[in-house]
């Protein structure tokens, strides 16, 4: 990326190489020539949290699972609207992501990982989903650019029929599976419905002023 300073490199287990880049106060995590996330475009990642919490409707002591951490936009947005009785588990597979959060991006993170409501698990979010039964009020996924394994091919299982059924089993009744995507995928909407979810597909702007690219968030609610 022209004009950007290379800060560090991370290897996703069984996956790709990520790079942290910096320019004029902004950070970006990139894969080859593709910018996966940037500190100056966070609105849709924040909407993943705020719109999910709105749909939960003020449930007492909600338990959320977020996979993965990224730059923490979704986590910080969730913490801003949740009460003190909430619990948020963050699954992050790449240790360097957390090192970057606590190191060069510490001013951006606002100590969100040290919030008393947060439990950080350095493991695959698929493992946490598979081991839960009626455990979460919401599962929020932003681990790829869409419903396919971009950063690691094993992530495909999250969006497969078995993966969606596992997520449904991990949710409490009326729980919500929310999935962020950089692009629309009508076939995936059908797959969510075939898995037994009630599905809403929402467009969210990348920039806080409502401009920029339009991203997609699926909200799939368990019966």
């Amino acid at each position: 990326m022209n004009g950007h300073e290379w800060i560090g490199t991370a290897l996703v287990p069984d996956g790709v190489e990520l790079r942290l880049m910096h320019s004029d106060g902004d950070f970006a995590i990139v894969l080859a020539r593709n910018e996966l996330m940037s500190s100056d475009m966070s609105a849709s990642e924040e909407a993943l949290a705020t719109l999910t919490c709105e749909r939960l409707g003020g449930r007492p002591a909600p338990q959320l699972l977020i996979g993965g951490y990224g730059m923490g936009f979704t986590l910080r947005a969730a913490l801003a609207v949740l009460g003190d009785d909430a619990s948020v588990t963050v699954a992050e597979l790449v240790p360097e992501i957390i090192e970057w959060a606590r190191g060069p991006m510490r001013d951006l993170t606002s100590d969100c990982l040290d919030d008393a409501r947060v439990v950080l698990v350095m493991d695959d979010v698929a493992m946490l989903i598979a081991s839960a039964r009626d455990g979460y009020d919401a599962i929020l996924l932003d681990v790829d650019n869409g419903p396919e394994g971009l950063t690691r091919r094993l992530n495909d299982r999250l969006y497969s029929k078995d993966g969606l059924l596992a997520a449904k089993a991990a949710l409490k009744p009326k729980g919500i599976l929310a999935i962020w995507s950089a692009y629309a995928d009508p076939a995936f909407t059908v797959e969510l419905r075939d898995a037994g979810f009630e599905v809403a597909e929402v467009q969210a702007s990348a920039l806080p002023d409502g401009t920029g690219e339009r991203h997609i968030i699926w909200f799939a609610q368990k019966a």
Side-chain angles (χ1 to χ4, degrees), residues 26 38-47 73 204-215:
D26 291 322
S38 172
S39 59
D40 63 352
M41 291 194 299
S42 60
S44 62
E45 287 89 348
E46 293 166 354
F73 298 122
S205 299
L207 298 175
D209 63 1
T211 63
E213 296 181 16
R214 307 291 289 182
H215 298 151

Side-chain angles (χ1 to χ4, degrees), residues 141-161 164 177 179-192 201 216-218:
L141 296 181
D142 182 8
V143 295
D144 293 291
N145 258 17
E148 61 178 343
L150 176 65
T151 56
R152 62 197 295 254
R153 187 51 57 191
L154 285 173
N155 284 354
D156 279 341
R157 60 185 172 173
L158 288 169
Y159 318 108
S160 68
K161 179 178 179 180
L164 296 177
L177 171 64
I179 300 175
W180 182 95
S181 177
Y183 53 85
D185 188 336
F188 184 64
T189 304
V190 173
E191 291 175 12
L192 287 166
E201 183 178 328
I216 300 296
I217 304 173
W218 287 278

Side-chain angles (χ1 to χ4, degrees), residues 69-189:
Y69 175 80
M71 289 186 173
F73 298 122
T74 299
L75 173 60
R76 291 192 293 279
L79 294 174
V81 297
L82 290 169
D84 292 340
D85 62 346
S87 175
V88 184
T89 299
V90 178
E92 176 53 59
L93 189 62
V94 183
E96 289 85 355
I97 294 289
I98 302 303
E99 292 173 9
W100 296 340
R102 297 191 184 278
M105 291 192 289
R106 59 188 175 276
D107 291 338
L108 178 67
T109 64
S110 303
D111 297 323
C112 63
L113 289 168
D114 299 320
D115 191 292
R117 295 168 291 177
V118 175
V119 176
L120 175 62
V121 178
M122 297 303 301
D123 211 326
D124 190 347
V125 68
M127 180 276 293
L128 294 178
I129 292 172
S131 61
R133 289 294 181 273
D134 299 323
Y136 299 107
D137 293 282
I139 298 172
L140 292 71
L141 296 181
D142 182 8
V143 295
D144 293 291
N145 258 17
E148 61 178 343
L150 176 65
T151 56
R152 62 197 295 254
R153 187 51 57 191
L154 285 173
N155 284 354
D156 279 341
R157 60 185 172 173
L158 288 169
Y159 318 108
S160 68
K161 179 178 179 180
D162 287 345
L164 296 177
L165 292 176
K168 188 168 72 169
L171 288 167
K172 297 178 183 179
K174 301 298 180 181
I176 296 171
L177 171 64
I179 300 175
W180 182 95
S181 177
Y183 53 85
D185 188 336
F188 184 64
T189 304

